Every structure is written in C-alpha cells, then in structure tokens.
Amino acid sequence: MSGIIWIIIVGFIAGIIARLLSPGPNNPSGFILTTILGIAGAFLATWIGQAIGHYGPDQGAGFITATIGALLVLFIWNRLVASGVIPDKSAK
C-alpha cells in the first residue's frame, strides 16, 4: 500500500515537472489534470520498469523515470489532440 502512495506523490511532482518542461496550448491544464498526468506517468514508468526487470515487484519509479513517463503521457495527449480524438478547448 505504501508503494501506491509513493507513486502518487512522485507522480504529482513528475506531472508538475513535465508541464514545466513541455509547455504548450494542447497541454491538459489545471491542478487535477496535472496531477493525473504525473500519476499516469509514474504508473507507466513503474509498469515498464517492472516489465523489463529494472524494478522489483515492490518498487516504484523514481522522480526521473516518473518524469519521463509523464512526458510520454503528455506526448500521447498532444498527439490525440492534434488528430482530433480529444477536442482542443483552447482553439477558437
């Protein structure tokens, strides 16, 4: 259970860092979406790390890999907005 809490905390910080590294009009905005972005990135980084054997079953992603995971999730988000799957509310 403490592993999930750690992933959430690391994910929140990774989401903030990812938003700072990749600003743009298609980014999910707001506190909640930034937090979800980072948590999704941390879970993605943890899953990939455990799948390739970098992390054990009881280990989570660190700050750097969670940030990379959040950047990957942000890239996917931007591609979905660019292709029109997710509507761009900032476009007028």
Side-chain angles (χ1 to χ4, degrees):
M1 187 64 173
S2 65
I4 292 174
I5 293 171
W6 178 249
I7 291 172
I8 292 171
I9 292 169
V10 169
F12 171 70
I13 295 169
I16 292 172
I17 293 170
R19 288 288 310 274
L20 292 174
L21 291 176
S22 178
N26 292 335
N27 289 340
S29 60
F31 176 77
I32 300 295
L33 285 178
T34 300
T35 304
I36 292 172
L37 164 75
I39 292 171
F43 274 110
L44 179 66
T46 299
W47 180 74
I48 291 173
Q50 289 176 351
I52 64 173
H54 186 67
Y55 300 122
D58 58 342
Q59 293 178 317
F63 287 110
I64 294 172
T65 53
T67 302
I68 292 169
L71 284 169
L72 182 62
V73 170
L74 189 58
F75 174 77
I76 292 169
W77 175 278
N78 287 335
R79 293 295 91 212
L80 290 174
V81 169
S83 66
V85 174
I86 299 174
D88 185 5
K89 302 211 187 275
S90 65
K92 303 269 182 200

